[in-house]
Amino acid sequence: MLTKRIIPCLDVTLDSEGGTVVKGVEFVDLKKAGDPVDLAKRYNEQGADELVFLDITASHEGRSTMIDVIERTANEVFIPLTVGGGINSVEDVRQILRAGADKVSINTAAVKNPQLIKEASDIFGSQCIVTAIDCKRNPDVENNPDKTIIELEDGTPAWYEVVIYGGRKPTGLDAVQWAKKVEELGSGEILLTSMDRDGTYDGFDIPITRKLSEELEIPIIASGGVGKPEHMYGGFVDGKADAGLAASIFHFGEFTVRDVKEALEKKNIPVRL
């Protein structure tokens, strides 16, 4: 069994200080959590396997990603760094990689122009391209017979709708069908975030995580809802994810990365300590 990765996530917004890590619930009610470079250093020291840096308002605000903050972050950490937010072209991907990122996460731009995934993976290699899929449960199954219907925890049926612009705009796209398409286009990994679970401390959205993990060959990073180490365990065992991403529990000091890894190791989940 491959080692499971624990990945802290830095959701960053541009402000007067040049960039601040924030955390909200279901993508709203954002609270400040600290300086991105300071937090990145902390997680690097705690033994994080990777870091994800998401400029969460870049697409909505129609601007490019904060290159200077990425450069400063990349200078301080020695683990793989994935950067997303406001990436709309091959040239944007090139700039982010040049600034020190190891991988680039594409979300809104991929939905609007799927060929961007293919172009970027052809040039830089699929290992550099992560497609971020933000999705929300949609209970309207009667009017959506063409969608992938998934049974939720309580037995009710639903499909998962892809949302873009930081959760502001539903697309009508089915998350499972979209994930299969991005795999075909050359994406090396999927960062899956359930809006219904984001910031809730209720654990990962297992039904959609398991569905993608079973249906796709590429790794699935589960994201949204981690409140304690047991939720990571559920993501790996029940959701079959390859990696678990979390923000709140790390940013606000409830658990360190090492706490989570030690708890997982006790339950026989292979992690790098």
Side-chain angles (χ1 to χ4, degrees):
M1 195 179 190
L2 284 171
T3 305
K4 299 294 186 182
R5 292 170 288 150
I6 304 299
I7 307 175
C9 182
L10 308 174
D11 289 335
V12 185
T13 59
L14 190 62
D15 61 7
S16 56
E17 293 157 35
T20 298
V21 176
V22 293
K23 192 68 201 95
V25 177
E26 294 178 29
F27 292 21
V28 294
D29 299 329
L30 302 177
K31 290 187 188 126
K32 289 191 175 186
D35 175 76
V37 182
D38 290 345
L39 286 173
K41 282 165 69 176
R42 182 198 302 172
Y43 301 140
N44 185 70
E45 288 159 7
Q46 287 178 8
D49 297 295
E50 296 184 20
L51 274 178
V52 167
F53 177 112
L54 298 177
D55 187 339
I56 59 170
T57 53
S59 289
H60 171 62
E61 292 170 0
R63 60 174 172 77
S64 56
T65 320
M66 309 170 213
I67 294 289
D68 63 316
V69 184
I70 295 157
E71 287 174 339
R72 288 192 290 122
T73 304
N75 284 337
E76 295 290 346
V77 300
F78 307 99
I79 51 178
L81 175 65
T82 300
V83 174
I87 293 161
N88 295 299
S89 65
V90 166
E91 186 50 40
D92 288 344
V93 174
R94 185 176 281 112
Q95 280 193 341
I96 297 294
L97 294 174
R98 200 174 279 156
D102 300 275
K103 306 180 199 175
V104 169
S105 167
I106 310 172
N107 187 340
T108 300
V111 172
K112 292 167 76 177
N113 173 23
Q115 282 304 115
L116 177 58
I117 298 170
K118 180 162 181 14
E119 288 169 23
S121 63
D122 283 351
I123 294 167
F124 305 107
S126 60
Q127 78 285 350
C128 287
I129 307 303
V130 179
T131 303
I133 299 179
D134 296 339
C135 62
K136 193 167 176 59
R137 294 176 174 190
N138 189 324
D140 182 10
V141 296
E142 282 188 20
N143 296 311
N144 291 283
D146 58 328
K147 303 295 195 263
T148 308
I149 309 304
I150 296 174
E151 189 176 296
L152 303 181
E153 296 91 340
D154 61 0
T156 59
W159 64 283
Y160 283 79
E161 184 171 12
V162 175
V163 292
I164 56 175
Y165 291 114
R168 293 173 180 83
K169 185 179 177 184
T171 63
L173 267 180
D174 176 275
V176 179
Q177 294 165 13
W178 173 232
K180 288 179 178 176
K181 183 171 182 181
V182 304
E183 180 177 46
E184 283 170 21
L185 287 166
S187 183
E189 212 163 11
I190 286 174
L191 169 55
L192 174 71
T193 303
S194 165
M195 257 190 91
D196 302 280
R197 291 302 176 93
D198 177 69
T200 63
Y201 287 70
D202 291 334
F204 292 124
D205 193 323
I206 297 299
I208 184 64
T209 306
R210 181 171 56 236
K211 183 72 174 172
L212 291 197
S213 297
E214 288 175 347
E215 299 264 340
L216 276 69
E217 298 292 324
I218 57 176
I220 306 298
I221 305 168
S223 163
V226 172
K228 53 188 177 181
E230 287 82 356
H231 291 151
M232 285 284 187
Y233 179 80
F236 294 140
V237 174
D238 302 324
K240 302 183 179 179
D242 299 274
L245 180 143
S248 302
I249 64 164
F250 297 139
H251 296 343
F252 302 118
E254 292 151 61
F255 296 94
T256 65
V257 174
R258 188 164 185 90
D259 291 338
V260 171
K261 286 190 170 186
E262 286 176 349
L264 289 168
E265 191 186 42
K266 282 178 187 162
K267 293 190 169 192
N268 299 315
I269 299 294
V271 290
R272 186 178 61 84
L273 277 168

